Amino acid sequence: MPATYKNCLLIDDNYIDNFVTRRILESSNFVEAIAVRQSATEAIDALRDGSVKPDVIFLDLRMPLMNGFEFLNEFDKIDFDGKEAIKIFMLSSSLDPTDVKRSTENKYVVQFIHKPLTHKILEELGT
């Protein structure tokens, strides 16, 4: 069975969260390739220079320097082919209803997912 997505960009400042999320994504055959950036600024740079061309992005909300919402603002300013087709999933441990509401109101965010990512969640996303 082919993977649901070809290229994934995982943006999270927490090494352990990245390790766990990456393992779940790999073992579920959700994506073929995973690029990890430990800051939103690194991710924006990679998108700008074209070194990362994701079909799907898993974006942490709470990060130093640039948070998930600030990433979305910068993402909106970048112009590149295929941008509108990218699915962004906000992946956060935040329980703040304002964060959930703000995420789901963003035109790029498909869904807010509470950490940790699980096989069950990915199965639901793939359908």
Side-chain angles (χ1 to χ4, degrees):
M1 184 170 147
T4 307
Y5 295 98
K6 187 170 175 65
N7 296 304
C8 173
L9 175 57
L10 173 57
I11 309 167
D12 196 323
D13 63 312
N14 185 300
Y15 176 81
I16 300 296
D17 285 347
N18 282 335
F19 179 79
V20 171
T21 301
R22 186 180 190 124
R23 293 298 298 249
I24 295 289
L25 288 168
E26 289 171 342
S27 65
S28 67
N29 197 35
F30 192 74
V31 297
E32 290 179 25
I34 303 166
V36 179
R37 296 296 182 270
Q38 288 194 276
S39 78
T41 53
E42 287 177 22
I44 288 294
D45 290 344
L47 290 166
R48 276 194 183 118
D49 69 20
S51 61
V52 175
K53 296 180 181 186
D55 305 301
V56 61
I57 297 174
F58 286 90
L59 174 64
D60 185 26
L61 181 56
R62 306 258 185 249
M63 294 179 284
L65 303 178
M66 181 187 291
N67 68 34
F69 293 120
E70 292 166 328
F71 169 87
L72 292 169
N73 289 338
E74 290 302 308
F75 181 80
D76 189 48
K77 297 174 189 175
I78 304 171
D79 185 30
F80 59 92
D81 287 338
K83 175 179 158 182
E84 298 299 322
I86 297 172
K87 294 190 180 340
I88 299 179
F89 297 99
M90 190 70 81
L91 183 61
S92 179
S93 55
S94 173
L95 298 174
D96 185 344
T98 307
D99 288 340
V100 176
K101 184 177 189 298
R102 196 169 160 202
S103 296
T104 55
E105 288 175 347
N106 185 285
K107 69 180 180 179
Y108 297 110
V109 177
V110 175
Q111 189 172 333
F112 186 99
I113 301 168
H114 291 283
K115 286 182 183 178
L117 188 63
T118 64
H119 288 285
K120 184 176 183 341
I121 291 169
L122 286 177
E123 285 173 20
E124 291 168 3
L125 295 179
T127 56

